[in-house]
Amino acid sequence: DIVMTQSPDSLAVSLGERATINCKSSQSVLYSSHNKNFLGWYQQKPGQPPKLLIYWASIRESGVPDRFSGSGSGSDFTLTISSLQAEDVAIYYCQQYYTTPTFGQGTRLEIK
Amino acid sequence: QVRLQQSGPGLVKPSQTLSLTCAISGDSVSSSNAAWNWIRQSPSRGLEWLGRTNYRSKWYSDYAVSVKGRITINADTSKNQFSLQLNSVTPEDTAVYYCARRDDLLRGSFDHWGQGTLVTVSS
């Protein structure tokens, strides 16, 4: 299985500031013939299921605020929240779907 | 609007079978554009994909190595739902279980999730 490793494990950011979460896969999740990275980002709040934020590494899901963006290719990816809002406090997960789906361990985002 | 509604017991005895059902509204379990998955979450294992079923002219199922041999995921087209059976459970199977749709047409990702069911394995 592809191992997904996120950094940091936890992050505290001031309201209005930028938050950056990194995700590294143990092998490339870029499907060259499709030119697509099989990588998604999810947000999970307490007592709720994960919510899809980003798919194909950089495409924002409908209804997701544009302060959320995804970037990267191959094995290194980043989720950026450009201006942190109080409602963004959550755990964030990356997930690859290049092969048998696997998730990162999660990054807990808090307000500083 | 797609909605997934889970049902099933929250307590299962060791060595018995865990059974959960996910009822689908707003889509079809027979859709050729989706796969229907079970995922669990525990503090020790994080988010763990267990398996999926999907229909592409015939039914396919695929399971995680960690539970292969103990798991069955079936679709019920008459009720538009799919189910999870996990046999011979142990306390390590204690987790929140989610059903989820994988959108194979546009997103490739799990775009809709059930509400989650906490299943505790205990005597």
Side-chain angles (χ1 to χ4, degrees):
Chain A
D1 287 358
I2 296 177
V3 176
M4 308 300 289
T5 304
Q6 294 180 226
S7 62
D9 288 335
S10 63
L11 180 62
V13 174
S14 301
L15 290 172
E17 296 299 305
R18 179 184 300 261
T20 302
I21 298 170
N22 300 300
C23 174
K24 190 174 185 66
S25 56
S26 61
Q27 66 185 74
S28 174
V29 298
L30 172 63
Y31 197 168
S32 302
S33 60
H34 289 63
N35 195 30
K36 286 183 174 179
N37 288 281
F38 283 49
L39 189 285
W41 287 98
Y42 298 82
Q43 174 193 66
Q44 187 177 31
K45 296 182 178 180
Q48 297 181 19
K51 172 189 172 184
L52 179 65
L53 296 177
I54 303 283
Y55 56 95
W56 303 129
S58 62
I59 307 224
R60 198 179 304 114
E61 172 71 320
S62 175
V64 172
D66 61 7
R67 63 180 180 273
F68 291 90
S69 63
S71 62
S73 184
S75 299
D76 290 284
F77 300 91
T78 300
L79 175 70
T80 302
I81 307 172
S82 60
S83 176
L84 189 71
Q85 305 299 303
E87 60 266 31
D88 301 335
V89 170
I91 301 176
Y92 292 84
Y93 296 93
C94 60
Q95 178 242 328
Q96 65 79 21
Y97 41 101
Y98 185 86
T99 61
T100 301
T102 50
F103 293 83
Q105 81 277 16
T107 295
R108 184 180 299 272
L109 178 58
E110 300 172 332
I111 304 293
K112 185 185 290 183
Chain B
Q1 181 181 354
V2 177
R3 190 164 181 226
L4 305 179
Q5 182 68 36
Q6 298 177 218
S7 59
L11 180 62
V12 182
K13 289 182 167 49
S15 80
Q16 296 195 341
T17 297
L18 181 161
S19 296
L20 296 173
T21 299
C22 184
I24 303 164
S25 57
D27 199 352
S28 169
V29 72
S30 303
S31 169
S32 59
N33 297 322
W36 305 98
N37 298 259
W38 288 97
I39 296 163
R40 68 183 177 183
Q41 185 173 31
S42 64
S44 59
R45 303 172 77 104
L47 283 161
E48 179 185 18
W49 176 82
L50 298 177
R52 56 92 178 152
T53 189
N54 62 329
Y55 185 76
R56 302 287 186 270
S57 302
K58 67 175 185 176
W59 287 101
Y60 294 88
S61 293
D62 186 27
Y63 303 122
V65 170
S66 61
V67 293
K68 195 169 281 188
R70 294 199 294 136
I71 187 172
T72 304
I73 296 175
N74 284 323
D76 184 340
T77 57
S78 66
K79 295 181 179 178
N80 202 31
Q81 64 186 31
F82 63 108
S83 63
L84 166 70
Q85 286 197 309
L86 187 65
N87 302 325
S88 305
V89 296
T90 72
E92 290 194 354
D93 294 310
T94 294
V96 177
Y97 286 75
Y98 294 102
C99 59
R101 183 184 87 159
R102 188 186 74 200
D103 171 13
D104 286 347
L105 180 62
L106 291 175
R107 299 172 180 82
S109 304
F110 302 117
D111 64 340
H112 288 87
W113 296 66
Q115 78 275 22
T117 302
L118 173 59
V119 178
T120 301
V121 178
S122 175
S123 54

